[in-house]
Amino acid sequence: MENIIREKSYKFALRIVNLHKYLVETKKEFVLSKQILRSGTSIGANVEEAIGGQTKKDFCHKIFLAYKEARETHYWIRLLRDSNYIDIRMYESILPECDEIIKITGRIISTSRKSL
């Protein structure tokens, strides 16, 4: 069975890893790149933990962590754009994916809380 958030967060994490490589190798940027690598890959890790959660409460907690990491990643993407580490094309390519993950995890949280 396909799990949309699992697949989207994993593909997004791969993009974040590649963005990190670009920032380090091409832009010689090491601080912001580490921050976005941590938050951007943590989204999928928390989704995986949520899927394996033992209780509904555990599931909700891990999905909420994924949501928070997605919000943080959104911040770093905007900061990278505004500090000219990424161009508008990169920004417009990756930000909508982050927005979508925020929306999906937000809906999962809302739906899951109703059943607690």
Side-chain angles (χ1 to χ4, degrees):
M1 183 174 124
E2 183 184 4
N3 184 316
I4 302 275
I5 191 60
R6 182 182 195 194
E7 294 305 313
K8 285 189 181 291
S9 62
Y10 183 80
K11 287 178 183 172
F12 185 73
L14 286 174
R15 290 201 66 194
I16 291 295
V17 168
N18 287 325
L19 175 58
H20 175 264
K21 286 181 193 175
Y22 165 79
L23 291 168
V24 169
E25 294 170 6
T26 304
K27 297 292 187 168
K28 305 299 183 212
E29 198 302 308
F30 302 98
V31 177
L32 298 177
S33 63
K34 194 171 191 176
Q35 292 285 5
I36 198 165
L37 178 66
R38 187 203 54 75
S39 66
T41 57
S42 182
I43 300 164
N46 280 299
V47 166
E48 285 290 338
E49 285 189 50
I51 292 167
Q54 293 181 331
T55 65
K56 191 73 158 175
K57 187 175 180 180
D58 189 30
F59 173 84
C60 288
H61 175 69
K62 293 298 182 183
I63 286 293
F64 187 68
L65 290 177
Y67 172 81
K68 286 173 48 175
E69 294 293 343
R71 298 288 317 192
E72 181 181 340
T73 303
H74 193 275
Y75 169 83
W76 294 123
I77 293 168
R78 291 186 348 260
L79 189 62
L80 286 167
R81 176 207 57 201
D82 292 343
S83 58
N84 296 314
Y85 280 110
I86 61 173
D87 62 24
I88 195 72
R89 181 191 57 77
M90 276 182 169
Y91 171 79
E92 289 176 348
S93 170
I94 200 164
L95 193 73
E97 286 184 47
C98 190
D99 285 335
E100 187 175 15
I101 289 170
I102 290 168
K103 288 176 188 169
I104 293 169
T105 53
R107 282 192 301 254
I108 293 169
I109 291 164
S110 178
T111 302
S112 297
R113 284 187 174 162
K114 290 176 185 175
S115 66
L116 278 180

